[in-house]
């Protein structure tokens, strides 16, 4: 596979883990998951992690995975590489893992004294990737090893922070997000 093909496969494969964040930003609001609870005088997760945003994120990511499965026969080969289809377990594990990773990052941010919305470079850009990949490796190890070759994994780890910074900047400029990260 050439670089363009690896990029296409990496982007396609990670879309169900990318979209949940954006859907949560658009839909999020209402009661926070932690119910306002604190630990050592700091919020457990904070007001930025809501039930509605999490549910919308998971629904959006899973729906997109199912849509990509329908589109796969039409686009396969067009990029000079085989695009993967998503097994039922992966349809769920990519978005759920992405949201859990993002929530775990908020937990760590609050423990380290960062207020809601504070930046945590590195963690902010990769929490959802690590979450989505880890849960997928756990529930579908065969699919994971077949799909995430070393080249695809490397591209995912470099491409994701670039896309994350870019989309968040756009969301900030459109006033959808209160910080540009
Ligand atoms: N959001 C949500 N539920 C989630 C994740 C995100 O409702 N599980 C929404 C919230 O409105 C949140 C916005 O998406 O404010 C942006 O997400 P994010 O940057 O992850 O949250 P922050 O508000 O920056 O909070 P934190 O510091 O905990 O990351
Ligand atoms: Mg944030």
């Amino acid at each position: 596979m050439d670089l363009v093909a690896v990029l296409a496969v990496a982007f396609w494969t990670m879309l169900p883990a990318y979209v949940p964040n954006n859907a949560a930003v658009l839909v999020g609001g209402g009661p926070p998951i932690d119910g306002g609870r604190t630990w050592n005088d700091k919020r457990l997760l904070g007001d930025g992690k809501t039930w509605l945003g999490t549910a919308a994120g998971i629904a959006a990511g899973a729906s997109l995975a199912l849509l990509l499965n329908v589109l796969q026969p039409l686009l396969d080969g067009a990029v000079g590489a085989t695009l993967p289809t998503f097994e039922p377990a992966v349809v769920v594990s990519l978005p759920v893992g992405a949201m859990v990773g993002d929530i775990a990052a908020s937990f760590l941010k609050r423990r380290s004294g960062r207020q809601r919305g504070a930046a945590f470079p590195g963690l902010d850009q990769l929490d959802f990737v690590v979450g989505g990949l880890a849960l997928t490796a756990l529930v579908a190890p065969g699919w994971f090893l077949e799909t995430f070759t070393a080249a695809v994994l490397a591209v995912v780890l470099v491409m994701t922070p670039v896309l994350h910074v870019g989309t968040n900047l756009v969301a900030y400029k459109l006033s959808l997000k209160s910080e540009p990260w």
Side-chain angles (χ1 to χ4, degrees):
M1 276 199 281
D2 58 21
L3 184 61
V4 175
V6 179
L7 269 169
V9 170
F11 183 66
W12 173 279
T13 311
M14 290 307 290
L15 265 179
Y18 287 159
V19 159
N21 273 294
N22 306 105
V25 171
L26 291 176
V27 177
I33 295 172
D34 67 8
R37 280 187 270 285
T38 58
W39 183 20
N40 284 341
D41 295 328
K42 293 175 186 110
R43 283 289 293 274
L44 225 43
L45 302 174
D47 286 330
K49 303 296 115 128
T50 68
W51 290 111
L52 190 60
T54 307
I58 293 169
S63 308
L64 184 63
L66 295 174
L67 177 68
L68 293 180
N69 278 349
V70 174
L71 296 178
Q72 195 270 352
L74 307 172
L75 295 171
D76 198 34
V79 294
T82 305
L83 294 168
T85 52
F86 302 95
E87 290 181 359
V90 179
V91 168
V92 177
S93 66
L94 283 174
V96 169
M99 288 276 89
V100 170
D102 178 58
I103 290 168
S106 288
F107 178 78
L108 292 177
K109 288 200 222 173
R110 299 303 91 83
R111 302 285 71 69
S112 62
R114 289 173 172 80
Q115 298 295 322
R116 172 196 180 177
F120 197 145
L123 194 65
D124 280 330
Q125 287 75 37
L126 287 169
D127 51 15
F128 55 104
V129 175
V130 173
L133 292 181
L135 189 61
T136 301
L138 206 67
V139 302
W143 185 93
F144 182 88
L145 287 175
E146 210 176 293
T147 310
F148 290 103
T149 60
V152 171
L153 257 187
V155 166
V156 166
L157 292 179
V158 175
M159 172 182 68
T160 305
V162 176
L163 286 173
H164 191 260
V165 168
T167 50
N168 281 342
L169 204 59
V170 170
Y172 172 72
K173 294 274 183 207
L174 294 174
S175 305
L176 294 170
K177 234 179 158 301
S178 31
E179 305 88 18
W181 48 79

